[in-house]
Amino acid sequence: MEFSVIDYNGHVYVPLRFVADNMASDVGYNADTGITSIDQHSIRFDDAVAAPKPEVVYEKRLRNGSVWMQDIPLLQGNSCWVECIQDSRSDLTLLKQAEYPPVEVKPGSYIGIRYTKGMEPQQMECSVITNADGKELYTAVEMDQGRIRLPREPGVYPIVLRSNWEQGYTTYLFAVKIV
């Protein structure tokens, strides 16, 4: 889309959509007040940006119908961005040695996963890790618009989140305990 800049009486006018798109921002309009705004809650990639870290939350539904978002702490796994972090230990060993406490969740609930606007990965996959005969098995979890539905069966579920960009990749680990 092509935009025009207007120079009128010594003032330069540019389209908000052009500015917002170049700032990785959203244009908002409040009909009640008649105010148009640019909401920048994101950043763009550049060489100095550290590897993007997702926001992972447990969507807990309260009795009054509202949803409370509880942050889930993440443990960084193997990643390559400006530099590579490679650990020979397995994902389950990393969680165990970090003494990672699983977040207690309800059966069949949801986990939301999102990246800062402008930093979304080209590809993102989520898997549950199990240990069978000393080998780690990864079972893909279906994602729907940045959300995964947790199993209904009680237990501890270690989860790995892998994200890929042209610049590199990241891996984050967390665990939930379904009670």
Side-chain angles (χ1 to χ4, degrees), residues 121-163:
Q122 294 168 325
Q123 179 186 13
M124 183 169 52
E125 60 185 45
C126 199
S127 302
V128 171
I129 313 167
T130 54
N131 189 344
D133 299 325
K135 294 182 183 179
E136 288 186 2
L137 301 176
Y138 294 82
T139 305
V141 177
E142 186 176 328
M143 295 186 76
D144 183 22
Q145 298 180 354
R147 295 172 75 212
I148 60 171
R149 185 174 196 126
L150 296 172
R152 295 201 163 277
E153 298 78 29
V156 174
Y157 294 86
I159 298 173
V160 61
L161 175 65
R162 291 187 180 95
S163 302

Side-chain angles (χ1 to χ4, degrees), residues 46-98:
D46 64 30
D47 292 335
V49 171
K53 184 176 179 181
E55 177 185 24
V56 177
V57 295
Y58 165 44
E59 298 178 7
K60 185 175 182 178
R61 298 212 173 267
L62 303 177
R63 290 187 181 152
N64 65 5
S66 62
V67 178
W68 178 61
M69 304 296 223
Q70 175 185 348
D71 284 334
I72 295 179
L74 300 175
L75 180 64
Q76 186 169 5
N78 292 328
S79 300
C80 263
W81 199 255
V82 175
E83 295 179 6
C84 291
I85 299 170
Q86 300 294 327
D87 194 315
S88 61
R89 295 175 291 177
S90 71
D91 290 333
L92 288 175
T93 301
L94 283 172
L95 282 169
K96 183 177 180 180
Q97 289 180 348

Side-chain angles (χ1 to χ4, degrees), residues 20 45 103 123 164:
F45 285 126
V103 175
Q123 179 186 13
N164 296 301

